[in-house]
Amino acid sequence: ASPVGAQGPAACKNKPGDCDSQGYVCTGTVPAQTCDDGDAAWDGRVKCACPPPYTGAMGDMQAAACTLDECSATCAWCDKTGANGAGTCEAAGQTCADGNHAVEKDWTCECVAPYAGSGAQAAAACTVDECDATCAHCADTGSGNVCAASGQGCVDP
């Protein structure tokens, strides 16, 4: 049997040394990421992880590529009211759209058909064309049929 310590000092997983010396790769990012030294070797290699509600694959010796779905239920601070985009839009009967998860504060509320309109980080002012065939609840059956039956065109000012 080898005497205690004969094979060198014990290697501790997640020891502070690697993150202390290399963690700036992670913490100097926006948003600040967490540093993880996932192996037992004192090799200066760290991985960066995105903080919630951001998501993205861990970066090996580089910042992770973090993205944020501002319509996600996990993003409670994504707009100035403290509600996420989904909550703001759903409260108005609209859907939330975040077309580019790499850009913050770009989500919109989108009107649900037959209504049209979009609101930037707020509920949209939706409109409806009552002559449009997709408007099933409109007074003339939604297709301009009342006007057409009279030989007239349908106009919705």
Side-chain angles (χ1 to χ4, degrees):
S2 299
V4 174
Q7 296 181 0
C12 300
K13 185 174 183 176
N14 294 325
K15 64 194 168 307
D18 284 344
C19 282
D20 283 349
S21 65
Q22 302 297 319
Y24 66 89
V25 172
C26 305
T27 58
T29 61
V30 177
Q33 300 175 14
T34 56
C35 179
D36 179 31
D37 178 17
D39 60 30
W42 192 292
D43 57 6
R45 296 195 63 77
V46 296
K47 291 184 183 258
C48 300
C50 301
Y54 293 86
T55 58
M58 290 182 86
D60 187 15
M61 287 304 295
Q62 64 183 0
C66 299
T67 61
L68 175 65
D69 180 357
E70 294 174 293
C71 294
S72 168
T74 62
C75 187
W77 51 266
C78 286
D79 76 12
K80 64 184 177 189
T81 66
N84 63 5
T88 300
C89 300
E90 288 172 4
Q94 301 168 9
T95 59
C96 183
D98 183 9
N100 186 344
H101 293 181
V103 176
E104 290 187 29
K105 297 181 181 166
D106 69 330
W107 60 271
T108 59
C109 289
E110 302 294 329
C111 300
V112 177
Y115 296 93
S118 180
Q121 292 83 57
C126 300
T127 60
V128 64
D129 181 350
E130 294 179 302
C131 295
D132 187 342
T134 62
C135 184
H137 71 276
C138 297
D140 78 356
T141 69
S143 62
N145 290 337
V146 170
C147 298
S150 301
Q152 302 169 357
C154 183
V155 177
D156 183 9

